[in-house]
Amino acid sequence: MRPDAPKISLTDVVFPDRANHYGTLFGGHALHLMGKAAFIAATRHARQHVVMASTDRITFDEPVRVGDLIHEDALSGHRRLAVRGTFEMVAVDANGRPTPISVSQDHNEVQEEAVT
Amino acid sequence: MRPDAPKISLTDVVFPDRANHYGTLFGGHALHLMGKAAFIAATRHARQHVVMASTDRITFDEPVRVGDLIHEDALSGHRRLAVRGTFEMVAVDANGRPTPISVSQDHNEVQEEAVT
Amino acid sequence: MRPDAPKISLTDVVFPDRANHYGTLFGGHALHLMGKAAFIAATRHARQHVVMASTDRITFDEPVRVGDLIHEDALSGHRRLAVRGTFEMVAVDANGRPTPISVSQDHNEVQEEAVT
Amino acid sequence: MRPDAPKISLTDVVFPDRANHYGTLFGGHALHLMGKAAFIAATRHARQHVVMASTDRITFDEPVRVGDLIHEDALSGHRRLAVRGTFEMVAVDANGRPTPISVSQDHNEVQEEAVT
Amino acid sequence: MRPDAPKISLTDVVFPDRANHYGTLFGGHALHLMGKAAFIAATRHARQHVVMASTDRITFDEPVRVGDLIHEDALSGHRRLAVRGTFEMVAVDANGRPTPISVSQDHNEVQEEAVT
Amino acid sequence: MRPDAPKISLTDVVFPDRANHYGTLFGGHALHLMGKAAFIAATRHARQHVVMASTDRITFDEPVRVGDLIHEDALSGHRRLAVRGTFEMVAVDANGRPTPISVSQDHNEVQEEAVT
C-alpha cells in the first residue's frame, strides 16, 4: 500500500436486493461498493471532484451471504476478508476531464462479518 | 483475449439514477454493468452457476455522459471505448463454493455512443 | 412488423431485486425493460431525443424465473418467448414535446433462457 | 371500462431517479407504476396471487415532469391525464401457472399534478 | 391529530427488493415510504416546495411480510396497523431554506393487508 | 445518550438517485440511511436478528446537497450536523417476533461534509 493512500471505513448490510439467486452478494454490487469507497476516500484526500481512472486486480476470496454485514477497511482482524482491490482515482476539472494530480486508493477491501 | 473467452453484447442507456453529480456515469455503476456482462457471458458459456473470482486491470478511458447509450462488446468501431477490463468467473457448486472449472471473460468493454 | 422497425438486442439476468414474491420476474419490471429496449432502438434509429407515445397489446406468455437470463430481440430460436409487444416512440423537441417524425418499435420481445 | 374492474388509487412523486435526461418521467417507469397498480387492484379483487397476462393499448398523452405528483385513478378532474391503459391480470396457482379465473383491470391511468 | 393535518392514502406492495433477510419489510424502507407520504401530503396542502423538518415518535407495531400490501392512511378498519408516526414538513424557498410557514403531517400510518 | 448505546460510523455520498428535485437529499432517504445504521449497530451489539421497534424524535437541521459526503456518527467536529435521532431496535426470534431483550441506538446522526 502506498504510504499516502487515503483510508476509509464503510459498513453495510447485504439485503436481498443486492444478492444473486444463490443468496450471496452479487460480484457487481461488491465492485460498486468498493468503487464508492474509493470515491469517498479520494474525495476527502484531494478535496477535488474525482473520477475512477482504473482498478488493479480485484480478488473475491469469500462469498458474502445475504444478512451478513460487510466492512471495508484496511484493518486485519477476526473478520474474513472477502474482496480486495486497488483503485486509482483522478481529480477532474470543470469539464469532467482528468487533471494530472491523482490519488491512488490502495487495497480497498470488503470484509464479511457473519451474524450468528 | 483468450480464444475461448465468451462474448456478449449488452446495451444500456445512462439515466440520471446512475450518474454522479458531474453528469457522468459513476464508475461504480460501470463496474456493476461490466460485472453483469461477465456474469451473463460466463453463465452461457459454462451452463453452470458462476460467481466472480477476480478482475484484472480495468481502465476508464472516457467519461460516459447522462443520456449516452453504452454498449458492451469486443467490437471496435466508430464508438468510443469508455471502459475495458477482464473478469474471471468461476462455476460454483450447490454450496456456493467455487469448482475447478472456470472460464475467463477477457476484455469486457463499455463503449459510449453519443446521441447528437 | 414494419419493415423499418429498428431492432435491438438486450440481455439481462433476473436477480431477486426484480422478482415478485413468487420467484418470477414482476410484470412491471418486464414492461420497464421492454420500454428501455424501445427507447434505445428508437434513439439509434432517429438520432433524436425520443419518448414513449403508446404501446400496443403486450402479452406475457411465460413466467420468467429468478436466475434466468432474458433476451430481448426479434429472433426466434430454442429460447422460449416470454413477453412480446409493440411500442411507438416519438421524437421530441427541446421543450420535450413530440415532433411529427415518429418511429414504431414493433414486436419487442422478452425471451427467457433457463440455466440448467 | 368493465363494470367489475377493480379500482385503486396510487399516488407518487417523480424524483430524479425515475427521470430520463430530459427531466421527465421515463416511460418505462410509468409502465412499471401502472403495472404495480394493476397488481394491487387485482390482488385485492381476487384475493389470490396474480400475474400480468397482457396489456391493451397504453397511451402517453402528457409528459410528467420531475417534481410532479402522479396519481393513478379513474377520476376525471382538473388534473391532466398523462398515461392510460388496460391491464389483464390472471390468478396463478402454487406453481406460478395461470388459472382460469381472471380479472381485467381496465383503464389504469396516470394523472399528473403540477406543484406551482 | 391536528384538524388541519393533510391526509393522503398511499398503497404499495412489498416485493423482495424492500425486504430484510427475515422476509419482512426493512424498517428503513418503511420510514422512506412514510416520508414520501408526508412529502406528498404536505406538498398538496401547502402548494409549495417542502422538506422534512422533524419526525415525532414512530412505532413499529407489526412486521409487514413480503407479498403483503401496505396502505398508508388514517382510516381504522380490519387492516392491522403496522407503523405509525408524525412528520413535520416545512416549506422551503428558492434557496432550499425553510420558510416560517409549516405544515404538520400527523399520524402517518402504514397498514398491512395480508393476501390469503 | 445511554452509556451502552452501540456506536457505528457509516459514510456515504449523495448521488442524484437519492435527491429530491431541489438538489438535496430527500428526507425519506435520510431516514432509510439512519435506519440502516441503527440496524447494523444493533446487530453488532446484540449478535441476534433485530428489527426496528420505534424511533424517537428525528430532526433535520441542515439540507444535504447532491455531491456532499454524509457521515453518521456521534462525533462532533467541524462537520455540520444534518440529521439526528434515536432508534430503538429489538431482537426477534425465528418467527420474526420481538423478544424482550432490546437495544437502544441513541443519537443516530447524519453529518454533512461539503467538498469544496
Side-chain angles (χ1 to χ4, degrees):
Chain A
M1 193 187 302
R2 287 173 26 178
D4 64 339
K7 288 175 189 55
I8 185 175
S9 171
L10 298 190
T11 305
D12 216 331
V13 55
V14 181
F15 282 137
D17 63 348
R18 291 193 176 160
N20 55 30
H21 43 296
Y22 324 140
T24 58
L25 176 67
F26 170 52
H29 279 299
L31 294 178
H32 184 279
L33 287 172
M34 294 180 83
K36 193 161 70 170
F39 177 92
I40 292 172
T43 299
R44 283 194 171 152
H45 182 81
R47 292 293 160 194
Q48 298 184 62
H49 288 172
V50 298
V51 297
M52 204 173 289
S54 69
T55 73
D56 275 344
R57 183 172 176 76
I58 302 172
T59 56
F60 294 78
D61 300 325
E62 296 278 347
V64 180
R65 288 178 298 275
V66 170
D68 282 350
L69 304 184
I70 53 179
H71 195 74
E72 296 190 23
D73 66 9
L75 299 180
S76 61
H78 69 288
R79 298 182 178 105
R80 293 187 298 125
L81 185 59
V83 194
R84 77 184 101 188
T86 301
F87 290 73
E88 185 192 17
M89 310 295 289
V90 295
V92 287
D93 62 21
N95 300 115
R97 292 288 160 174
T99 67
I101 301 154
S102 71
V103 50
S104 178
Q105 165 73 1
D106 276 358
H107 285 291
N108 248 27
E109 297 177 355
V110 172
Q111 291 182 322
E112 180 272 345
E113 179 184 346
V115 178
T116 49
Chain B
M1 193 187 304
R2 288 173 27 175
D4 63 341
K7 287 176 189 53
I8 185 175
S9 170
L10 297 189
T11 306
D12 215 331
V13 54
V14 181
F15 282 137
D17 63 347
R18 291 194 175 160
N20 56 30
H21 42 295
Y22 324 140
T24 56
L25 176 66
F26 169 52
H29 278 299
L31 294 178
H32 185 278
L33 287 172
M34 296 180 81
K36 194 161 69 171
F39 177 93
I40 293 171
T43 298
R44 283 192 171 154
H45 181 82
R47 292 294 161 193
Q48 297 185 62
H49 288 172
V50 298
V51 297
M52 203 173 289
S54 68
T55 74
D56 274 344
R57 182 173 176 78
I58 301 170
T59 55
F60 294 79
D61 300 325
E62 294 279 349
V64 180
R65 287 177 299 275
V66 170
D68 282 352
L69 304 184
I70 54 179
H71 195 75
E72 296 189 22
D73 66 10
L75 299 179
S76 61
H78 69 287
R79 297 183 179 106
R80 292 186 299 125
L81 185 59
V83 193
R84 77 181 100 187
T86 301
F87 290 72
E88 185 192 15
M89 311 295 289
V90 294
V92 287
D93 61 21
N95 299 116
R97 292 289 160 172
T99 67
I101 302 154
S102 71
V103 50
S104 178
Q105 166 72 0
D106 276 358
H107 286 292
N108 248 29
E109 296 177 354
V110 172
Q111 290 182 322
E112 181 272 346
E113 180 183 347
V115 178
T116 48
Chain C
M1 192 188 303
R2 288 173 27 175
D4 64 340
K7 287 175 190 58
I8 184 176
S9 170
L10 297 190
T11 305
D12 216 331
V13 56
V14 182
F15 282 137
D17 63 347
R18 291 192 175 162
N20 55 30
H21 43 295
Y22 324 141
T24 57
L25 177 66
F26 168 53
H29 279 299
L31 294 178
H32 184 279
L33 287 173
M34 295 180 81
K36 194 162 69 171
F39 177 92
I40 292 171
T43 298
R44 284 193 171 153
H45 181 83
R47 292 293 160 195
Q48 298 182 62
H49 288 172
V50 298
V51 297
M52 204 173 288
S54 69
T55 73
D56 275 343
R57 184 172 176 77
I58 302 170
T59 56
F60 294 78
D61 301 326
E62 295 278 350
V64 180
R65 289 178 298 275
V66 170
D68 282 351
L69 303 184
I70 55 180
H71 195 75
E72 298 190 22
D73 68 7
L75 299 180
S76 62
H78 69 285
R79 296 182 179 105
R80 293 186 300 125
L81 186 58
V83 194
R84 77 183 100 188
T86 301
F87 290 73
E88 186 193 15
M89 311 295 290
V90 295
V92 287
D93 61 19
N95 299 114
R97 293 287 159 175
T99 68
I101 302 154
S102 70
V103 51
S104 179
Q105 165 73 0
D106 277 357
H107 286 291
N108 247 28
E109 298 177 356
V110 172
Q111 292 182 321
E112 179 273 345
E113 179 184 347
V115 178
T116 50
Chain D
M1 194 186 303
R2 288 173 26 175
D4 63 341
K7 288 175 188 56
I8 185 175
S9 171
L10 297 191
T11 305
D12 216 331
V13 55
V14 182
F15 282 136
D17 62 348
R18 292 193 174 160
N20 56 29
H21 43 294
Y22 323 140
T24 58
L25 177 66
F26 169 53
H29 279 298
L31 295 178
H32 184 278
L33 287 172
M34 296 180 82
K36 193 161 69 171
F39 177 93
I40 293 172
T43 298
R44 283 191 172 155
H45 181 81
R47 292 292 160 197
Q48 296 183 63
H49 288 172
V50 299
V51 298
M52 204 173 287
S54 69
T55 73
D56 274 345
R57 184 173 174 75
I58 302 170
T59 56
F60 293 78
D61 301 326
E62 296 278 350
V64 180
R65 287 178 297 276
V66 169
D68 282 351
L69 303 184
I70 55 179
H71 194 76
E72 295 189 24
D73 67 9
L75 299 180
S76 61
H78 70 286
R79 297 182 179 108
R80 292 186 301 125
L81 186 57
V83 193
R84 79 183 100 187
T86 301
F87 289 74
E88 186 193 16
M89 311 295 288
V90 296
V92 286
D93 60 20
N95 300 116
R97 292 289 159 174
T99 68
I101 302 155
S102 70
V103 50
S104 179
Q105 165 73 358
D106 276 358
H107 285 292
N108 249 28
E109 297 178 354
V110 172
Q111 291 182 322
E112 181 272 344
E113 181 185 345
V115 178
T116 50
Chain E
M1 196 187 298
R2 288 174 25 176
D4 64 341
K7 287 175 189 56
I8 185 176
S9 171
L10 298 190
T11 305
D12 216 331
V13 55
V14 182
F15 281 136
D17 63 348
R18 291 193 176 161
N20 55 30
H21 42 295
Y22 325 140
T24 58
L25 176 67
F26 169 51
H29 278 298
L31 295 178
H32 185 278
L33 287 172
M34 295 180 81
K36 194 161 69 170
F39 178 93
I40 292 171
T43 299
R44 284 191 170 156
H45 181 82
R47 291 295 160 195
Q48 297 183 62
H49 287 172
V50 298
V51 297
M52 204 173 289
S54 69
T55 73
D56 275 344
R57 182 172 177 78
I58 302 170
T59 56
F60 293 79
D61 299 325
E62 295 279 348
V64 180
R65 289 179 296 276
V66 170
D68 283 349
L69 304 183
I70 54 179
H71 195 75
E72 297 190 21
D73 68 8
L75 300 180
S76 61
H78 68 287
R79 296 181 179 108
R80 292 187 301 125
L81 185 59
V83 194
R84 77 183 99 187
T86 302
F87 290 73
E88 187 192 17
M89 311 294 289
V90 295
V92 287
D93 62 20
N95 300 115
R97 292 289 158 173
T99 68
I101 303 156
S102 71
V103 50
S104 179
Q105 165 73 359
D106 277 359
H107 285 292
N108 248 30
E109 298 177 355
V110 173
Q111 291 182 321
E112 179 272 345
E113 180 185 345
V115 177
T116 50
Chain F
M1 194 187 301
R2 287 173 26 174
D4 64 341
K7 289 176 188 55
I8 185 176
S9 170
L10 298 190
T11 305
D12 216 330
V13 55
V14 182
F15 282 136
D17 63 348
R18 292 195 174 158
N20 56 30
H21 42 295
Y22 324 140
T24 57
L25 176 66
F26 169 51
H29 278 298
L31 294 178
H32 184 279
L33 287 173
M34 295 180 81
K36 193 161 70 171
F39 177 93
I40 293 171
T43 298
R44 283 191 171 155
H45 182 82
R47 292 294 161 192
Q48 297 184 63
H49 288 172
V50 298
V51 297
M52 204 173 288
S54 69
T55 73
D56 274 344
R57 184 174 176 77
I58 302 171
T59 55
F60 294 79
D61 301 324
E62 296 278 350
V64 180
R65 289 178 297 275
V66 169
D68 282 351
L69 304 184
I70 55 179
H71 196 76
E72 297 191 21
D73 67 8
L75 300 180
S76 61
H78 69 286
R79 296 180 178 109
R80 291 186 301 125
L81 185 58
V83 194
R84 77 183 101 187
T86 301
F87 290 74
E88 185 192 17
M89 310 296 287
V90 295
V92 286
D93 62 20
N95 300 115
R97 292 289 160 172
T99 66
I101 302 155
S102 70
V103 51
S104 179
Q105 165 72 0
D106 277 357
H107 285 291
N108 248 28
E109 297 177 353
V110 172
Q111 291 182 321
E112 180 273 345
E113 178 184 348
V115 178
T116 49

